[in-house]
Amino acid sequence: MSPSRISRRQFLSATGALAGMGLAGASLHLPCFGLPPDASSRPAEQTAADYTLHIKTSPIEIAPKRTISATTYNGQFPGPLLRFQEGRQVTVDIYNDTDTPEQLHWHGQMVPVDVDGAAEEETPFIPAHGKRRIVFTPRPAGFRFYHTHNRAGGNLESGQYGGEVGPVYIESKREPGNYDREIFLVLKEFEPKLSRGGDMDQDFLAPMSQVKELKEQGESAMKASRANGMPKGYEVGYKSFTINGRMLYHGEPIRVKQGERVLFHVLNGSATEIRSLALPGHTFHVIALDGNSVPNPSDVPVLWLGTAERVSAIVPMNHPGVWIMGDTANDDRKNGMGIVVEYADQKYKPLWRASPKEFRWNYTRFAKAGVSVTPPDETFEMIFTKDNAAAEGFNRWAINGVSYPMTNQMAPASFHLKQGKRYRIRMRNASDDIHPIHLHRHSFELTNFAGTETAGITKDVVMVGGYQEVSVDFVADNPGLTLFHCHQQLHMDFGFMTLFDYV
């Protein structure tokens, strides 16, 4: 990036844009529902639910004398850690104690459309001051999560700008257990505010290659918009940053012992932001992405996560001291995006050291080497475009020139699937924004990232860099309407969605 080019984060900071609030419970150990007894043979409404969630507006203390109000699950942020067992049916009662109909999305799970939690797929709403009981069989195993799927538009008190995020862990029949303990971390900003955005930093992603044709198309559209007197479209900045709902220095530290192997399950619960996480003097041994084991576990100094991405990584505790585990962005970390890691018998001021600048986050490092990609039965071509500030000052987004309706009306499916077939989605990003792309009710295999073929990496969210191409493959094995969208709330709400159906 040239010295004269201001980054999106720098721009938002300079204009005083507010930072988001994260959640932390008073302790690191998130309130948790354990595994339920086998519910497979019980009538749905004749017994108590295995789990109960209440959607409600609650005060959340993110630091002493600093309390915010947010819509939460069970009055806490993050929501309770739900531990399921793969293949064991569960019953969940969801009470909506607010004035607004709600959707609760089971992100990363292969569930039916009436459970998934997306109005676009015709999942029933949880009525205001009402209840829904849902029964489903959790799958696949691994780190998933649940969150609201309400659209927010320009209302920064709605959608994932609030506190409706909670972790899910689905235990497999054979947990590897090559660690001493596990800790769940939810990264989240609060107190959002609109601002006119700058450019998003992308120098953390590799490969960095861009497609000339896409760049020319995106830059030409932006140039024409600015020539017509349009300002840059709105972005969202935040005032408060948290890990597990507490700002740096204002929550319980992670207390460790030398020689321990700690498995961290990290979730980026942000509505809009890409997050990083580093622990000075330590490395992350990444074993899973989005809850799915990687074929080539690898050591990295920094984790990078797009919105809704998850990383599971083991950290050997081999560097005694008192450290700050936090975001590599200095402003975000100083405004709360961090947590203290304290070794036993070490009582020092927490230290931070910058991570190696030459490190780049590259999905393909976790791939299966020397494996050819299975050819698809059909390829869907998609191009992502931005119409700057075209929706009352907000950017309007389109897939293949079509913006999803920004009203509550249903839209027809644009792509059609046959059960059992393997499909490739070739995504071409004609904007300078990074898009964390999510496919509901299915997992996909990353097959090409910015010109590099790859295989074996299974995910449900992938970051598509500015002016880059990315391909993913999936098998049509879960019939019903299936939503595809950018997980950045501001993009999803302003057109960046489409639907698949089965024919």
Side-chain angles (χ1 to χ4, degrees), residues 283-335:
T283 58
F284 296 92
H285 185 66
V286 174
I287 62 171
L289 298 176
D290 292 349
N292 306 295
S293 297
V294 296
N296 182 34
S298 301
D299 292 344
V300 297
V302 183
L303 304 178
W304 283 92
L305 304 94
T307 56
E309 285 191 298
R310 290 90 66 209
V311 175
S312 297
I314 294 172
V315 178
M317 293 299 166
N318 53 16
H319 197 167
V322 182
W323 303 98
I324 294 172
M325 175 188 280
D327 200 292
T328 58
N330 291 333
D331 288 345
D332 293 357
R333 192 178 62 256
K334 290 174 182 176
N335 283 304

Side-chain angles (χ1 to χ4, degrees), residues 232-441:
K232 285 192 173 182
Y234 287 120
E235 300 285 357
V236 177
Y238 301 87
K239 184 178 180 181
S240 306
F241 298 74
T242 69
I243 294 181
N244 285 355
R246 300 288 286 188
M247 299 176 71
L248 178 61
Y249 306 121
H250 297 302
E252 287 292 314
I254 300 173
R255 295 185 173 90
V256 301
K257 296 178 181 178
Q258 187 171 0
E260 274 191 316
R261 289 168 57 82
V262 179
L263 173 57
F264 287 97
H265 297 292
V266 184
L267 160 64
N268 180 0
S270 176
T272 60
E273 294 295 293
I274 293 168
R275 297 258 61 98
S276 61
L277 193 70
L279 178 58
H282 300 74
T283 58
F284 296 92
H285 185 66
V286 174
I287 62 171
L289 298 176
D290 292 349
N292 306 295
S293 297
V294 296
N296 182 34
S298 301
D299 292 344
V300 297
V302 183
L303 304 178
W304 283 92
L305 304 94
T307 56
E309 285 191 298
R310 290 90 66 209
V311 175
S312 297
I314 294 172
V315 178
M317 293 299 166
N318 53 16
H319 197 167
V322 182
W323 303 98
I324 294 172
M325 175 188 280
D327 200 292
T328 58
N330 291 333
D331 288 345
D332 293 357
R333 192 178 62 256
K334 290 174 182 176
N335 283 304
M337 189 56 76
I339 192 168
V340 174
V341 176
E342 179 182 287
Y343 277 75
D345 303 320
Q346 302 287 308
K347 301 294 180 184
Y348 306 110
K349 181 180 178 182
L351 293 178
W352 170 262
R353 292 178 186 162
S355 301
K357 290 185 177 180
E358 65 274 9
F359 175 75
R360 299 288 182 268
W361 182 256
N362 189 336
Y363 292 117
T364 65
R365 78 172 66 242
F366 308 111
K368 190 182 297 182
V371 176
S372 299
V373 176
T374 303
D377 295 303
E378 185 178 350
T379 297
F380 297 120
E381 300 284 348
M382 293 188 183
I383 187 165
F384 308 148
T385 53
K386 174 170 67 177
D387 193 353
N388 176 62
E392 298 182 352
F394 293 92
N395 298 323
R396 184 168 57 221
W397 297 91
I399 299 173
N400 293 349
V402 178
S403 293
Y404 198 91
M406 287 175 275
T407 63
N408 289 326
Q409 69 187 85
M410 293 297 298
S414 298
F415 302 94
H416 309 292
L417 309 173
K418 292 182 179 179
Q419 189 166 359
K421 298 292 186 180
R422 181 181 176 94
Y423 294 91
R424 178 164 297 162
I425 306 174
R426 180 171 175 246
M427 299 172 282
R428 307 178 73 230
N429 181 8
S431 77
D432 60 352
D433 294 69
I434 298 175
H435 298 297
I437 298 297
H438 174 45
L439 180 66
H440 280 227
R441 305 188 321 104

Side-chain angles (χ1 to χ4, degrees), residues 96-118:
N96 181 4
D97 300 333
T98 74
D99 297 329
T100 304
E102 273 283 353
Q103 291 282 357
L104 187 153
H105 173 47
W106 298 98
H107 186 115
Q109 291 202 51
M110 299 178 71
V111 292
V113 292
D114 63 326
V115 170
D116 189 49

